[in-house]
Amino acid sequence: MWKLMDARNFWSRSLFRRKEAPKKLSKKSSTFRIRLLVTCCFLFAILTTPILFLSYQSWITKTMVGDNLDPTPWHPFAKPKLTYIKQRPRAPKILQCTYLSCSLSLHNLFKPQKPQKPQFNAANPKSCPSYFQWIHEDLAPWRKTGITLNTIEEARNMAAFRVVIVDGRIYTEFYYHCVQTRTMFTLWGLVMLLERYPGLMPDVDLMFDCMDRPRVRRKDYINTTWPPPPLFGYCTNGYHFDIPFPDWSYWGWEEVNIKPWDQQMHHIFKGSQKLNWSRRLPIAYWKGNPNVGAMVRTELLNCNSTEKFNAQILQQDWKAEVAAGFKASDLAKQYGHRYKIYAEGYAWSVSFKYILACGSTVLLIDPEYLDFFMRGLQPLVQYWPIRRTKLCSSIKFVVEWGNNQTKRSEAIGKQGQEFLKDQLGMHNVYDYMLHLLQEYSRLQKFSPMVPSNAHEICRDSILCFAKPSQRILLQQSDTHNLNIPPPCSMPLHKHDFIKAILNQQRMGHIKVETWESNDKL
């Protein structure tokens, strides 16, 4: 009985203890704990704020690398996955390259706000090549109305980025990511242009699309919607108003192991001298990627027969080439055939200038798209035209004609090389860019202002973003310390001259069609 009473007392005391109110903390202890909590929160905020700031900046800052931009919706493409994630710039690097590189650059700190015009030794500069006349023709839609800020804003829906040049400095506003490194190398070309000709570049505001096909369709702009929006790109044709501009590959193309144009051109010239035209294989040759959405390349595969069509057509596997270190795609070694075929891809292809440099007779399949210099070439002078409608038979005909008319056929190949030497060196490319932007600026009806979301682009910012392999190409194309001649003298606008050029081209095509119809060798 006593044991039972003791057990009940034990449990009642235990329950009572559990219901007892906890002892109150002293004011001193409570204040200490509050201070400790506030201090920890303050330290945590100090440590995490830079990280959060950098992460936010990397999220909102759109860069030329395009890692935080969507692909162009009018020409979607897949971004590389594994290597892309490993190589994408991190937040601190984006902050450094975007906000610090140009502001802390010694080149920018010590150069005057408005660059002074350079003093050239030559008093009388050479005349520009005749294809510079197309600058006047490309800008003709705005000759009467001028270019307003509203027309430029209208082009924004078709642009991948915006370029504003004010007082010799370049500012860019990015909208979409362009495939591979086109944006970076295109902007590098503009930076090199400003360094090459300081003080000669006017203030300009322009929209740029760095994908393949032109976008401003002529049929969409009639009297009620005139003028069309000015949009710069890499090619154009008779159905579009896009303004052609030299493409990124003139400063190098890292993804396919192509050097800057001057170096690559002379490298191909040197290789072509190892084998005379007469000793080359007397057949037509093409090697490329047919899986780019180009019907002409798909049809060209049907011509792959040296016995039936005198043609060798090969498919290029770029993945295999990258894995093999580009051993089978050295452009300087592709001179073994008398005839080289150019077939455009999804639009125009940068390969044309490399094919023209080989010294072989270039067989140009009727192109739908043209870049800035192709419009200066003449059929039967620098190339032989091939009809799409009779693709294989046209190739067969010209090979038989050329093997019977060896001197005339070889001359076409040599004149193609001479055109590149005389009219498409990098000094011509820079002069074309300069004159195009100068003529464009004269049509502007406003003073360009730097957009609030734009960032300055300079030599140091581009090199900051570039990978080591890209930086090598960029630095190889740097002409800042070279002895620069004055820009060529821009020809006056002669509309009749363009008409004459187009008529000569048309007559050359008609002549070839007549020969083929009569089977005249």
Side-chain angles (χ1 to χ4, degrees):
M1 187 67 179
W2 289 108
K3 291 182 178 180
L4 181 60
M5 293 292 293
D6 290 341
R8 288 178 178 175
N9 291 336
F10 171 78
W11 285 110
S12 64
R13 287 194 301 270
S14 298
L15 291 173
F16 178 75
R17 287 190 184 124
R18 288 182 185 176
K19 294 180 180 179
E20 285 180 354
K23 296 181 179 179
K24 294 184 179 181
L25 294 174
S26 65
K27 288 186 177 181
K28 186 175 182 181
S29 176
S30 177
T31 303
F32 173 77
R33 292 192 178 188
I34 293 173
R35 288 179 177 176
L36 180 62
L37 179 62
V38 171
T39 303
C40 291
C41 293
F42 180 73
L43 292 174
F44 178 80
I46 291 177
L47 294 174
T48 58
T49 296
I51 299 174
L52 293 173
F53 174 76
L54 292 175
S55 300
Y56 174 72
Q57 288 298 326
S58 65
W59 178 70
I60 66 171
T61 302
K62 300 174 181 180
T63 72
M64 72 189 82
V65 182
D67 67 292
N68 47 9
L69 292 169
D70 294 326
T72 53
W74 53 88
H75 187 175
F77 55 90
K79 292 182 179 180
K81 295 182 179 179
L82 294 178
T83 55
Y84 167 74
I85 293 174
K86 294 178 181 178
Q87 296 172 354
R88 61 185 295 183
R90 299 303 178 188
K93 190 169 185 65
I94 291 178
L95 179 67
Q96 173 196 349
C97 300
T98 305
Y99 297 98
L100 302 179
S101 293
C102 294
S103 59
L104 299 180
S105 170
L106 294 178
H107 183 70
N108 277 346
L109 286 174
F110 293 102
K111 75 176 183 180
Q113 186 67 20
K114 290 187 177 182
Q116 300 298 318
K117 292 184 178 181
Q119 300 295 324
F120 297 108
N121 294 328
N124 298 315
K126 295 181 179 179
S127 297
C128 296
S130 58
Y131 65 84
F132 278 51
Q133 277 282 350
W134 282 97
I135 292 176
H136 299 296
E137 201 70 15
D138 292 334
L139 298 177
W142 303 277
R143 188 174 298 126
K144 291 183 179 179
T145 62
I147 298 174
T148 65
L149 189 58
N150 288 336
T151 56
I152 290 178
E153 290 292 345
E154 186 182 350
R156 179 170 180 166
N157 295 329
M158 295 179 274
F161 60 86
R162 183 178 193 167
V163 174
V164 179
I165 300 176
V166 176
D167 292 333
R169 296 196 178 197
I170 303 178
Y171 303 86
T172 52
E173 188 176 32
F174 300 101
Y175 310 129
Y176 294 103
H177 178 38
C178 293
V179 68
Q180 298 181 341
T181 51
R182 294 186 181 189
T183 305
M184 176 183 291
F185 279 77
T186 300
L187 292 175
W188 177 261
L190 284 168
V191 170
M192 292 296 101
L193 174 65
L194 264 66
E195 293 189 5
R196 183 184 184 92
Y197 296 134
L200 297 184
M201 178 59 63
D203 292 354
V204 294
D205 187 346
L206 60 92
M207 295 290 180
F208 204 106
D209 176 31
C210 51
M211 296 307 290
D212 291 346
R213 289 181 176 175
R215 304 204 60 220
V216 188
R217 299 184 302 180
R218 287 177 180 262
K219 66 179 183 179
D220 294 338
Y221 297 93
I222 54 178
N223 292 333
T224 56
T225 57
W226 195 261
L231 181 68
F232 285 72
Y234 298 130
C235 66
T236 191
N237 59 22
Y239 301 100
H240 292 82
F241 284 121
D242 297 64
I243 305 169
F245 196 82
D247 66 80
W248 72 95
S249 66
Y250 286 97
W251 296 273
W253 191 358
E254 182 225 9
E255 289 82 2
V256 293
N257 196 38
I258 290 180
K259 299 179 182 296
W261 170 235
D262 264 353
Q263 298 179 35
Q264 192 68 64
M265 176 176 59
H266 293 298
H267 191 49
I268 298 174
F269 284 170
K270 186 176 180 180
S272 66
Q273 295 173 359
K274 296 180 181 179
L275 192 64
N276 292 333
W277 188 93
S278 58
R279 295 173 55 199
R280 301 181 185 187
L281 295 175
I283 59 175
Y285 176 82
W286 181 84
K287 185 177 182 180
N289 181 12
N291 304 314
V292 292
M295 184 64 68
V296 65
R297 291 192 177 186
T298 304
E299 295 174 352
L300 186 60
L301 298 176
N302 299 325
C303 306
N304 185 27
S305 174
T306 55
E307 295 181 358
K308 189 176 181 180
F309 299 116
N310 301 323
Q312 183 181 13
I313 311 300
L314 302 178
Q315 298 189 46
Q316 176 76 294
D317 186 347
W318 280 114
K319 290 184 178 179
E321 280 300 304
V322 173
F326 303 98
K327 292 181 180 179
S329 59
D330 187 349
L331 296 177
K333 296 180 180 179
Q334 297 182 20
Y335 51 81
H337 302 78
R338 290 183 180 179
Y339 311 93
K340 296 289 292 291
I341 301 171
Y342 169 78
E344 63 187 11
Y346 182 72
W348 119 106
S349 172
V350 301
S351 64
F352 180 72
K353 57 181 177 291
Y354 307 117
I355 294 174
L356 199 65
C358 290
S360 301
T361 306
V362 175
L363 311 185
L364 178 62
I365 302 175
D366 287 337
E368 184 178 353
Y369 305 96
L370 299 168
D371 67 7
F372 76 101
F373 81 87
M374 291 175 68
R375 300 172 293 183
L377 300 171
Q378 286 294 332
L380 303 181
V381 179
Q382 292 98 3
Y383 69 91
W384 184 282
I386 299 295
R387 287 188 288 173
R388 290 191 183 212
T389 54
K390 295 184 177 180
L391 188 57
C392 298
S393 60
S394 292
I395 293 173
K396 178 183 178 181
F397 176 84
V398 65
V399 172
E400 292 177 353
W401 178 90
N403 290 337
N404 283 278
Q405 304 282 343
T406 55
K407 289 185 178 180
R408 294 176 66 183
S409 184
E410 182 181 1
I412 293 175
K414 288 185 177 179
Q415 288 180 94
Q417 279 189 325
E418 290 300 319
F419 176 88
L420 298 180
K421 289 180 182 178
D422 298 337
Q423 302 189 42
L424 200 68
M426 278 307 297
H427 59 285
N428 298 120
V429 176
Y430 282 119
D431 287 358
Y432 191 93
M433 295 163 61
L434 176 67
H435 286 300
L436 174 59
L437 295 179
Q438 285 181 339
E439 295 297 322
Y440 175 85
S441 71
R442 293 189 178 100
L443 298 174
Q444 291 178 151
K445 298 296 184 181
F446 64 98
S447 298
M449 303 288 290
V450 180
S452 58
N453 294 327
H455 300 289
E456 185 175 4
I457 295 294
C458 64
R459 168 199 295 267
D460 290 345
S461 66
I462 297 177
L463 293 176
C464 178
F465 271 118
K467 298 186 299 183
S469 56
Q470 298 164 356
R471 195 176 297 116
I472 291 173
L473 292 178
L474 295 172
Q475 291 174 335
Q476 286 177 347
S477 62
D478 187 351
T479 61
H480 179 61
N481 294 323
L482 299 180
N483 185 18
I484 304 299
C488 62
S489 177
M490 180 66 179
L492 298 175
H493 182 219
K494 298 178 181 178
H495 186 67
D496 292 341
F497 180 83
I498 296 296
K499 285 185 177 180
I501 291 292
L502 293 175
N503 186 58
Q504 291 175 14
Q505 293 174 348
R506 185 176 61 86
M507 294 304 296
H509 285 253
I510 292 175
K511 183 180 292 187
V512 170
E513 291 178 14
T514 303
W515 288 353
E516 288 185 22
S517 300
N518 299 330
D519 197 20
K520 180 180 179 181
L521 300 178

